[in-house]
Amino acid sequence: MQFETGLAFARQLDRDDPLARFRNAFNFPRRSDGSAEIYLCGNSLGLQPKRARDTVTEELDKWAALGVKGHFSGEHPWMPYHEFLAESSAALVGAGADEVVVMNSLTTNLHLMMVTFYQPTSERFKIVIEDHAFPSDHYAVESQLRFHGIDPAEGMLLLKPREGEELVRREDIDALIREQGDSIALMLLPGVQYYTGQWWNIADITRSAQARGITVGFDLAHAVGNVPLQLHDWQVDFACWCSYKYLNSGPGAVGGCFVHRRHASNTALPRFAGWWGHDKESRFRMENRFQPIPTAEGWQLSNPPILSLAAIRASLDIFQEAGGMVPLREKSEKLTAYLQFLLEQHASEFINIITPLDPQQRGCQLSLCCDARHLSGRAVHQRLEDHGVTCDWREPNVIRIAPVPLYNSFEDVHRFVEILAAACNE
Ligand SMILES: *Cc1c(COP(=O)(O)O)cnc(C)c1O
């Protein structure tokens, strides 16, 4: 599509946008003068769906009115509450409802998955992560290695971009698999990289690694609700994600976990167990003979925090009403391409986009390295905040901009670039 630079063109795109009405389903933070912020930070904390207040209040009211009977009463009894989220979560990641469970937080789930899927032997004991993995993933892997008595200096292989480059190259992943494949037990990689916004080819990497006997897990923190996923067909072994970024489910919301059916149905797999993972029929017989549910639910530990699940339900319903990831991705590609176009028109002198320019290798986020005349990148970020743009700054020099197709408009993007160009031109 041929873009134009004027504000009228942005407004026309918004009028033509079949998803535009969903913007009104969210609460936008306000500036002190009452105007809405230009919120481009959904990759850090997604906005609150207006209806989350109702779904959460529903459960508070039920608790007040019914006490313990709430486990079995009402439209959404607490006992099976997580089951109400399985199908809509599964749709977002391309899985069967039996392969997905909403539980715990992201890092907790990474640990639980590694307990099952990282079983080092003397020959095969290494874990591959990226050099710039999110700190929590790095610590989780390091501590799992140590837990098995393995020195991370030997057991942790770090995938690095080449000298002077920002993105990991596909051929370097292949080379690592070729050279060290027999000693690698597990690859734990991002779906979409949090810093660069690079969308990795999950299907392709999974195929290459598994062909060498490597187990493959993905951290989808920045991929879920952002890009279309087909975890089942791609044969991914396991995946974990959080729900407070693109899934708009609130700070610290309960996360999600995918276990491929060929593993989920295997009740003999080792795991750290809890009563919520035990067979539902006999759970309350309290007989203490653990019998895992033969689905992803078999990794649950505890009965879940219902108030958090209620907010997730509000959000997942909106994804369903929007028609799922196909129409969202269609708008997202256009919105991000429009952002790229305006940056190239108005700020190319100051801004270097480190995210891949190929739409098939990125989600909605663009990561911008700033080199303005008189201002540091950090100062540019501060100017943006001063002018009502909420976006995120990452050391050493990146401003991450995430136009989210569910609630951001083309006008948001237009106004953002206008403010950015003015700041850089100061
Ligand atoms: C956001 C994020 C986390 C956060 O982990 P929590 O356990 O939810 O606090 C971890 N890893 C990645 C890649 C993330 O983007």
Side-chain angles (χ1 to χ4, degrees):
M1 150 160 233
Q2 204 60 25
F3 294 123
E4 295 170 24
T5 53
L7 178 60
F9 183 76
R11 290 183 170 157
Q12 186 58 48
L13 289 175
D14 285 327
R15 274 192 296 276
D16 295 342
D17 170 15
L19 297 175
R21 68 192 167 95
F22 288 98
R23 181 177 175 88
N24 194 37
F26 292 87
N27 287 309
F28 279 73
R30 303 250 149 214
R31 309 181 65 195
S32 49
D33 68 1
S35 63
E37 286 179 7
I38 302 172
Y39 197 84
L40 297 167
C41 210
N43 54 348
S44 184
L45 185 74
L47 287 181
Q48 183 187 87
K50 289 177 183 169
R51 67 178 77 169
R53 187 175 296 276
D54 298 330
T55 54
V56 172
T57 304
E58 193 183 311
E59 302 315 320
L60 283 171
D61 289 347
K62 198 201 292 178
W63 176 25
L66 299 173
V68 71
K69 296 193 184 76
H71 282 301
F72 308 101
S73 318
E75 198 185 338
H76 299 99
W78 301 329
M79 183 70 73
Y81 203 100
H82 65 279
E83 296 172 26
F84 306 133
L85 310 178
E87 234 161 81
S88 43
S89 300
L92 288 177
V93 296
D98 59 320
E99 296 177 302
V100 165
V101 59
V102 173
M103 63 177 188
N104 309 318
S105 56
L106 170 53
T107 309
T108 306
N109 288 334
L110 287 174
H111 276 299
L112 291 178
M113 289 294 102
M114 281 192 274
V115 164
T116 295
F117 292 104
Y118 176 56
Q119 300 288 331
T121 64
S122 53
E123 284 80 45
R124 203 186 266 281
F125 60 92
K126 294 178 186 166
I127 304 180
V128 175
I129 58 172
E130 19 133 29
D131 190 35
H132 265 274
F134 197 90
S136 203
D137 303 49
H138 189 101
Y139 306 147
V141 166
E142 207 171 37
S143 59
Q144 285 280 336
L145 287 161
R146 289 220 167 88
F147 178 75
H148 286 280
I150 296 167
D151 178 359
E154 277 183 51
M156 190 150 70
L157 289 181
L158 300 177
L159 264 174
K160 289 188 179 61
R162 292 186 188 180
E163 195 64 35
E165 297 185 7
E166 296 281 355
L167 306 171
V168 172
R169 293 199 198 184
R170 186 53 230 278
E171 63 259 37
D172 291 349
I173 302 178
D174 283 337
L176 184 68
I177 293 173
R178 205 165 46 242
E179 286 154 22
Q180 308 221 35
D182 294 340
S183 65
I184 300 170
L186 173 68
M187 291 181 85
L188 181 63
L189 299 174
V192 172
Q193 216 280 347
Y194 80 96
Y195 183 78
T196 63
Q198 181 181 16
W199 178 15
W200 299 44
N201 190 325
I202 296 175
D204 207 31
I205 293 171
T206 301
R207 205 177 311 112
S208 310
Q210 287 175 345
R212 285 297 292 272
I214 301 166
T215 300
V216 190
F218 279 90
D219 182 328
L220 301 177
H222 285 263
V224 70
N226 177 16
V227 292
L229 299 163
Q230 292 296 338
L231 298 184
H232 178 86
D233 289 349
W234 296 342
Q235 301 291 331
V236 170
D237 290 292
F238 69 87
C240 306
W241 56 90
C242 52
S243 306
Y244 47 82
K245 294 171 180 166
Y246 295 106
L247 293 191
N248 313 319
S249 299
V254 173
C257 191
F258 163 88
V259 184
H260 197 281
R261 188 172 298 135
R262 66 181 183 278
H263 302 307
S265 59
N266 181 359
T267 55
L269 283 176
R271 68 191 79 199
F272 281 177
W275 76 316
W276 226 248
H278 179 90
D279 170 54
K280 291 171 200 174
E281 296 298 309
S282 58
R283 185 184 283 154
F284 286 91
R285 280 193 220 133
M286 311 307 219
E287 289 172 338
N288 292 352
R289 279 191 300 275
F290 182 61
Q291 202 184 319
I293 302 168
T295 70
E297 287 182 71
W299 276 263
Q300 292 174 115
L301 299 179
S302 304
N303 77 102
I306 298 299
L307 299 182
S308 176
L309 299 195
I312 298 175
R313 185 164 68 78
S315 169
L316 293 179
D317 284 354
I318 296 176
F319 274 88
Q320 280 197 316
E321 286 163 30
M325 286 314 297
V326 172
L328 283 166
R329 172 67 182 169
E330 194 178 323
K331 172 172 173 187
S332 179
E333 281 189 35
K334 199 162 162 184
L335 197 57
T336 300
Y338 179 62
L339 170 59
Q340 182 186 329
F341 166 80
L342 290 180
L343 288 169
E344 284 164 355
Q345 293 294 315
H346 298 301
S348 60
E349 208 183 316
F350 321 106
I351 296 292
N352 177 32
I353 302 172
I354 64 169
T355 306
L357 298 182
D358 171 9
Q360 292 314 308
Q361 293 182 54
R362 69 183 186 202
C364 66
Q365 170 185 324
L366 291 186
S367 303
L368 315 180
C369 268
C370 275
D371 184 17
R373 280 195 194 115
H374 308 295
L375 295 177
S376 66
R378 201 164 188 133
V380 171
H381 178 256
Q382 189 55 50
R383 292 288 196 287
L384 291 170
E385 293 276 337
D386 294 345
H387 288 87
V389 176
T390 297
C391 59
D392 140 321
W393 167 258
R394 287 283 137 154
E395 295 294 345
N397 187 23
V398 159
I399 296 174
R400 301 186 307 169
I401 300 297
V404 169
L406 254 182
Y407 52 71
N408 281 122
S409 63
F410 291 87
E411 183 169 344
D412 283 341
V413 169
H414 190 275
R415 289 169 63 208
F416 158 70
V417 176
E418 207 167 54
I419 294 166
L420 175 73
C424 289
N425 273 313
E426 252 176 44

